[in-house]
Amino acid sequence: MLAGKHIILGICGGIAAYKSVYLLRLFVKAGAEVQVVITPAGKEFITPVTLSSLSGKPVISEFFTANTGSWNSHVDLGLWADAMVIAPATASTIGKMANGIADNMLVTTYLSAKAPVFIAPAMDLDMFAHPSTQRNLQLLREYGNHIIEPASGELASHLVGKGRMEEPENILKAVEEFFAQGQDLAGLKIMVTAGPTREKIDPVRYIGNYSSGKMGYAIAEECAVRGAEVTLISGPVSIKARHHRINVVYVESAQEMHDAAVSAFPGCDAAVMCAAVADYAVENYAAHKIKREHDEVPVIRLRKNPDIAAALGAMKRKGQLLVGFALETDNGVANATEKLHRKHLDFIVLNSPNEPGAGFMTDTNRVTIIDRDGASREYELKDKRLVARDIIDVMKEMME
Ligand code: CTP
């Protein structure tokens, strides 16, 4: 289950750090590639030499390597990881993680990580039971992290209670179980189009639209986190794709997006068409900047752009799945259903730009999914990342 997986093992300063050595051994034996990141206090409990010998990689603790001056990039590490496991997690690190206090490499890496994060607390019983620790753990749970509850037993203080770090075998099991269920798209290749397109008027001007790309990027990330290899064909946006299984192809015009999509689709199992593609391109593109003083008021003539979703619908093989979006101001269900059939989509995601919190430029969306049988599922207004999960759940269900 863990063969070839990239795991960041975060170690904090607690007595249970000795058990992290064994956990590291278990990960390596299971075939994972492990990068240890240790807090300064962690090094008081366990030596980096032991950890680097077992992991085969230098242990990271500081932002800079003193003798070479090289910089350890928490951002690159965050992208490299398939999972981050913090064991033991002390009350102090848990507090920093919950509140974004990025004063060491471990917490900074946590804040940059896109992968699932597992936290195995270890501390004295009173520290664990303290409302401040419990509140921080609750916050971390709400952020979507996995808390591996400590066990009860004799603690380093010789007091007996809840606070012992879970045994390494059980931490390994929790991570393996997550991968067993969480990687339901492993082996699949998925293409996503996202963002707006730009149609050039002259060398400095274009026709565009307000699409932020957030919905498409959220879908690409959801697919990648669940194990798929993703080709993200993106128009110009200000956000970045943040997962090592996402390969971004940047395009500008609808024609370029069409060409990239038509060439990638045959190698894919599914495509999700999220881009807000300009319907028209400029026919009389001016090779020189249009001048206000000298030129007549310009007339921009338009020609139709190719319909990318329809082109893929026409070339779709048996077993390939094609998903489209419909942004409708009026007659939503009727218009979306018409598009679903015209473009040979398997299902369409309807959203409305009129509704507060839905459509372009927001972090949230409210969608209705309509399939070829006319069945529709309505969803609540939610974060685009959770909307992406709903859409991909439906996609997965239809692929089975
Ligand atoms: N789409 C596409 N290529 C286009 C236009 C649209 O791939 N040239 C895709 C969109 O990504 C979306 C779906 O088709 O998945 C519907 O897009 P929409 O703009 O709602 O539909 P249009 O076909 O452009 O219809 P209209 O503008 O008349 O609503």
Side-chain angles (χ1 to χ4, degrees), residues 273-275 277 279 306-309 324-328 339 342-343:
M273 314 304 287
C274 267
V277 185
D279 288 329
D307 185 326
I308 306 168
F325 269 73
L327 189 68
E328 305 292 344
K339 275 177 197 168
R342 175 161 46 87
K343 303 188 188 209

Side-chain angles (χ1 to χ4, degrees), residues 191-205:
M191 186 184 98
V192 180
T193 65
T197 64
R198 285 181 183 172
E199 308 301 329
K200 284 185 173 167
I201 298 170
D202 73 5
V204 296
R205 302 179 178 94

Side-chain angles (χ1 to χ4, degrees), residues 189-197 209 211-221 223 229-237 239 241 246-265 268 270-278 306-313 321-326 343 345 349 360 388 391-392 395:
K189 291 200 166 66
I190 296 173
M191 186 184 98
V192 180
T193 65
T197 64
N209 63 62
S211 167
S212 61
K214 282 179 183 163
M215 193 64 248
Y217 275 61
I219 288 186
E221 282 180 8
C223 292
E229 291 293 335
V230 181
T231 301
L232 173 60
I233 303 176
S234 173
V237 292
I239 52 177
I246 302 178
N247 171 35
V248 190
V249 180
Y250 289 104
V251 295
E252 196 169 318
S253 65
Q255 186 65 48
E256 285 169 17
M257 185 174 276
H258 169 273
D259 296 349
V262 164
S263 105
F265 189 53
C268 294
V272 186
M273 314 304 287
C274 267
V277 185
D307 185 326
I308 306 168
L312 301 192
L321 202 100
L322 187 59
V323 180
F325 269 73
K343 303 188 188 209
L345 307 172
V349 184
F360 279 3
I391 294 168
I392 298 307
M395 189 190 86

Side-chain angles (χ1 to χ4, degrees), residues 166-228:
E166 185 50 279
E167 292 306 322
E169 288 85 356
N170 292 339
I171 297 177
L172 173 79
K173 214 159 93 200
V175 178
E176 280 182 334
E177 271 170 13
F178 172 83
F179 279 113
Q181 328 157 340
Q183 299 286 286
D184 60 343
L185 304 182
L188 294 179
K189 291 200 166 66
I190 296 173
M191 186 184 98
V192 180
T193 65
T197 64
R198 285 181 183 172
E199 308 301 329
K200 284 185 173 167
I201 298 170
D202 73 5
V204 296
R205 302 179 178 94
Y206 61 84
I207 299 174
N209 63 62
Y210 288 119
S211 167
S212 61
K214 282 179 183 163
M215 193 64 248
Y217 275 61
I219 288 186
E221 282 180 8
E222 174 71 14
C223 292
V225 165
R226 286 163 70 163

